[in-house]
Amino acid sequence: PSELLARIDERQEHIDGQLTLILEQTQKTNGRVTSLENWRSRVGGIWFTVGLVFGGIGTITGIVLGILSLFKHA
């Protein structure tokens, strides 16, 4: 029985070592994914802001041109 327990202990240590490696790799991958998600969020926010700015500029330009055309016809 002691030989069997020694083999079980040895196998358990091997599994523990593998789990440690898996955990380390998972943490690295999660860090990279989180970094990419943050970058994507920032880029999305930038495009949203650009869209609002150009949409606002277009709206204001349309209003100004509409008002100017009223004065031309008057």
Side-chain angles (χ1 to χ4, degrees), residues 12-36:
Q12 184 65 44
E13 287 176 14
H14 176 73
I15 291 171
D16 287 345
Q18 294 297 315
L19 287 175
T20 299
L21 293 174
I22 291 169
L23 176 62
E24 289 172 0
Q25 185 61 44
T26 302
Q27 289 172 334
K28 288 178 186 177
T29 301
N30 286 346
R32 288 191 300 265
V33 169
T34 300
S35 175
L36 288 171

